[in-house]
């Protein structure tokens, strides 16, 4: 009886350990099966197939838009559609560029986007730095009120914002785009959360050397904040570039329209392939901007780490 109990006590930890291992590796395919040649073959087939399938799903709308502009209007409207243009031609791109005066529209939209980006960085970065590192009086209350504005639907704010722009006589002015873009509570919240993660020792070391808050922000905080600055930059530029309703209200002049508003206003009088070509041309700048800033998104805080 005693020997049985002792033997049970000795084997119980082994059974528990075995159960833990089985629970840890209880998956659709066990690690032992993946180590075999058949398991590795199936794994790579499934992995490559899923990657190719999801890539095709996400890239197909872009492919359809680019190739649709290379087709004739009759081929673009026929059913069933053709995946590859039968007689590809770039005439639709030339027609869209000349018919819409896309050079002027892209210039206008670029001015609005770059100005909004600069004002956003200047205002939101300063506000986030003050709330995160300077710790002003009622800072938590200000942050809470700022976050509360995110609960308000944008359409509710459209009318008072338009009335304010009219009262300030900012219609058909870039300031009508720049100023509202800078007052972005979401961007301030993102920047503040990132600034909170910066080690306090960096700030204290700079203060001991006599650096002012502006110098700390410029020389210490901004160099290690490239990831979040890249994210905020993408959000700001893409939001201004794709916005439609607000520019339609505050920029009624034809010579000051954004590219999205102008394409919509002339979409009924344009051939289908020319309209598709205009959409392709209007999408290129945002893709380039993303490719430019995405290098900084994954950058870490190591650029400003403490030494020894």
């Amino acid at each position: 009886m005693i020997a049985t109990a002792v033997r049970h006590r000795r084997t119980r930890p082994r059974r528990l350990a075995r159960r833990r291992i089985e629970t840890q590796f209880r998956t659709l395919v066990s690690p032992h099966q993946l180590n075999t040649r058949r398991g590795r073959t199936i794994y790579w087939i499934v992995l490559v197939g899923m990657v190719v399938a999801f890539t095709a799903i996400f890239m197909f709308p872009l492919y359809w838009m680019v190739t649709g502009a290379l087709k004739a209007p009759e081929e673009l409207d026929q059913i069933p559609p053709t995946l590859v243009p039968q007689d590809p031609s770039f005439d639709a791109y030339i027609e869209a560029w000349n018919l819409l005066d896309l050079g002027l529209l892209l210039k206008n939209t670029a001015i609005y986007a770059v100005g909004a980006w600069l004002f956003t960085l200047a205002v939101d970065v300063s506000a986030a730095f003050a709330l995160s590192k300077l710790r002003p009086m009622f800072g938590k209350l200000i942050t809470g009120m700022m976050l509360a504005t995110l609960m308000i639907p944008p359409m509710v704010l459209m009318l008072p914002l338009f009335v304010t722009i009219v009262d300030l006589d900012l219609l058909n002015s870039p300031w009508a785009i720049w100023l509202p873009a800078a007052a972005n509570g979401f961007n301030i919240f993102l920047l503040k959360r990132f600034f909170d993660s910066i080690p306090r020792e960096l700030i204290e070391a700079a203060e001991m050397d006599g650096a002012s808050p502006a110098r700390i922000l410029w020389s210490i905080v901004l160099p290690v904040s490239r990831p979040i600055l890249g994210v905020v930059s993408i959000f700001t530029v893409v939001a201004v570039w794709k916005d439609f309703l607000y520019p339609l209200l505050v920029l009624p002049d034809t010579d000051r329209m954004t590219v999205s508003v102008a394409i919509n206003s002339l979409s009924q009088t344009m051939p289908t392939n020319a309209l598709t070509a205009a959409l392709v041309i209007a999408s290129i700048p945002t893709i380039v901007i993303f490719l430019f800033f995405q290098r900084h998104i994954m950058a870490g805080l190591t650029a400003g780490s403490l030494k020894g």
Side-chain angles (χ1 to χ4, degrees):
M1 189 77 175
I2 297 176
T4 304
V6 172
R7 196 181 308 110
H8 178 72
R9 292 178 181 177
R10 290 178 178 176
T11 57
R12 184 178 180 182
R14 298 177 182 176
R15 290 199 300 268
L16 292 176
R18 191 181 302 111
R19 289 178 182 176
R20 293 193 190 99
I21 295 175
E22 291 176 355
T23 304
Q24 181 180 0
F25 295 105
R26 186 176 295 172
T27 58
L28 184 63
V29 181
S30 66
H32 175 70
Q33 291 175 328
L34 288 178
N35 290 330
T36 62
R37 177 179 296 180
R38 181 173 179 270
R40 289 194 299 268
T41 302
I42 296 176
Y43 170 79
W44 283 108
I45 291 175
V46 173
L47 178 62
V48 173
M50 294 296 292
V51 170
V52 172
F54 279 100
T55 302
I57 291 174
F58 286 108
M59 294 298 295
F60 181 76
L62 182 61
Y63 168 80
W64 183 258
M65 185 171 61
V66 173
T67 58
L70 300 176
K71 301 176 182 178
E74 297 78 12
E75 182 184 359
L76 187 59
D77 296 335
Q78 75 179 22
I79 298 176
T82 56
L83 293 178
V84 180
Q86 298 176 356
D87 187 16
S89 174
F90 289 92
D91 294 339
Y93 289 94
I94 300 175
E95 182 181 0
W97 183 272
N98 296 328
L99 185 61
L100 287 175
D101 196 5
L102 285 178
L104 176 62
L105 297 176
L106 292 175
K107 176 184 175 181
N108 292 341
T109 312
I111 292 174
Y112 301 144
V114 172
W117 171 60
L118 294 176
F119 275 93
T120 297
L121 292 184
V123 175
D124 294 358
V125 168
S126 301
F129 175 74
L131 293 174
S132 176
K133 298 303 180 183
L134 301 184
R135 309 288 178 86
M137 185 179 297
F138 305 115
K140 293 183 178 180
L141 177 61
I142 295 173
T143 304
M145 295 176 62
M146 177 191 66
L147 294 177
T149 61
L150 302 180
M151 307 299 173
I152 304 175
M155 297 304 298
V156 177
L157 301 175
M158 192 67 65
L159 179 59
L161 182 58
F162 175 73
V163 173
T164 303
I165 294 299
V166 173
D167 292 341
L168 295 177
D169 194 20
L170 295 178
L171 285 179
N172 286 316
S173 172
W175 294 97
I177 303 294
W178 296 343
L179 295 180
N184 193 308
F186 181 69
N187 288 339
I188 296 176
F189 174 72
L190 287 180
L191 291 165
K192 180 183 179 301
R193 292 295 296 175
F194 190 90
F195 292 165
D196 290 340
S197 65
I198 297 178
R200 184 65 188 176
E201 289 80 1
L202 289 174
I203 310 300
E204 294 176 350
E207 290 176 347
M208 292 179 62
D209 292 338
S212 63
R215 181 61 182 274
I216 293 174
L217 174 61
W218 181 261
S219 301
I220 297 178
V221 175
L222 291 183
V224 301
S225 302
R226 288 178 299 173
I228 195 63
L229 293 179
V231 173
V232 170
S233 299
I234 292 175
F235 285 170
T236 302
V237 174
V238 172
V240 174
W241 200 277
K242 72 177 184 179
D243 196 8
F244 170 74
L245 181 58
Y246 180 69
L248 179 64
L249 296 176
V250 299
L251 300 171
D253 194 349
T254 305
D255 295 335
R256 297 180 180 272
M257 283 184 177
T258 61
V259 65
S260 59
V261 175
I263 291 177
N264 178 77
S265 62
L266 298 177
S267 59
Q268 302 299 326
T269 60
M270 296 177 58
T272 308
N273 59 343
L275 177 62
T276 307
L279 295 175
V280 173
I281 297 174
S283 303
I284 292 176
T286 56
I287 298 174
V288 173
I289 290 171
F290 173 78
L291 295 177
F292 177 78
F293 281 107
Q294 61 91 22
R295 297 182 297 116
H296 304 286
I297 294 177
M298 300 305 296
L301 290 172
T302 56
S305 59
L306 291 173
K307 294 182 179 180

